[in-house]
Amino acid sequence: MVRNEDLENVLLLKKGDISAFSALFGKYSERLYAFALSIAREPYIAEEITQQVFLKIWEKRHQIEEYFSFKSFLFSVTYSETISLLRKETAEKKKVNRWGEVASFETTETDYTVEFNNLELLTSEIIAGLPARRREIFILSREQGYSYREIADKLGLSVKTVENQISATLKTIREKLGESQLCSILFYFLTTH
């Protein structure tokens, strides 16, 4: 049985269901905060970004494409919001030095979205090229939300085997993506459980 709590919650969210919104907020707010913090490096900015993202999600809930990965969508919106806020902060305070190491301000938000989508596509291609069993374990974990224990029970494996397979897959993806700081940041947050 394929579990997709995000899809169920997104469908309810589109109908204005506040409990579905709360469930998505509870599931993703800390991870989005950590993601924004890893880019902005200021807790108050990360907190503001997290609030803005969820406010935007609520306000534009009718426009959400429910059959796309909600998780990827959230991180893409968070990334764009972080860039926008950093641009504003930089214009107001002229603090280019810290952010200049991470990204160029000449790049448009559309370029960031394209870069994010390219990274997601590359990751998908890497996963598609994995041995069948390893790919199945990874998909059950990262895309379908199964715990290591649930995967082990479902496939008749030990939990340690599942852990080793996930670890090997993450290592393969990291190696193939390269050492780019942006790739590392995005990859970490796309694949953390």
Side-chain angles (χ1 to χ4, degrees), residues 4-184:
N4 195 339
E5 294 169 16
D6 283 356
L7 177 57
E8 292 170 15
N9 283 324
V10 168
L11 290 171
L12 290 170
L13 170 65
K14 289 182 74 156
K15 295 176 183 175
D17 187 314
I18 194 74
S19 63
F21 176 80
S22 295
L24 291 167
F25 181 84
K27 182 174 181 180
Y28 289 110
S29 60
E30 288 183 19
R31 288 153 74 181
L32 293 185
Y33 172 83
F35 180 53
L37 183 62
S38 72
I39 298 170
R41 307 198 194 275
E42 292 289 347
Y44 76 95
I45 293 176
E47 188 173 327
E48 186 174 335
I49 293 298
T50 305
Q51 291 171 3
Q52 283 178 5
V53 166
F54 279 100
L55 179 61
K56 187 175 272 191
I57 294 298
W58 178 256
E59 290 172 347
K60 301 194 180 225
R61 63 189 176 277
H62 302 294
Q63 299 171 17
I64 296 173
E65 292 291 334
E66 63 266 21
Y67 296 104
F68 292 136
S69 167
F70 184 71
K71 180 179 179 182
S72 296
F73 171 70
L74 272 180
F75 282 96
S76 182
V77 171
T78 302
Y79 186 66
S80 294
E81 288 293 315
T82 305
I83 298 303
S84 294
L85 187 60
L86 286 171
R87 282 182 180 158
K88 266 187 224 171
E89 292 264 322
T90 300
E92 291 169 9
K93 299 178 183 177
K94 297 186 179 182
K95 290 184 178 177
V96 178
N97 58 345
R98 192 180 309 178
W99 178 243
E101 299 169 6
V102 179
S104 166
F105 286 102
E106 315 310 321
T107 309
T108 66
E109 288 181 26
T110 303
D111 292 334
Y112 292 124
T113 302
V114 168
E115 184 177 346
F116 183 86
N117 290 338
N118 287 341
L119 176 64
E120 190 172 28
L121 179 63
L122 180 58
T123 303
S124 295
E125 289 172 1
I126 294 167
I127 292 167
L130 294 171
R133 187 60 136 191
R134 188 180 290 174
R135 181 175 59 245
E136 181 181 18
I137 291 169
F138 191 78
I139 289 170
L140 285 170
S141 171
R142 295 313 197 248
E143 293 180 15
Q144 296 180 14
Y146 283 85
S147 70
Y148 290 175
R149 167 59 57 202
E150 290 170 326
I151 296 168
D153 292 344
K154 182 177 178 68
L155 301 179
L157 302 170
S158 71
V159 173
K160 190 67 177 166
T161 299
V162 172
E163 288 174 4
N164 289 341
Q165 291 296 310
I166 296 287
S167 178
T169 299
L170 293 175
K171 181 179 179 188
T172 298
I173 295 171
R174 271 189 217 102
E175 288 171 355
K176 291 192 177 186
L177 287 179
E179 296 302 319
S180 160
Q181 183 177 9
L182 177 59
C183 285
S184 298

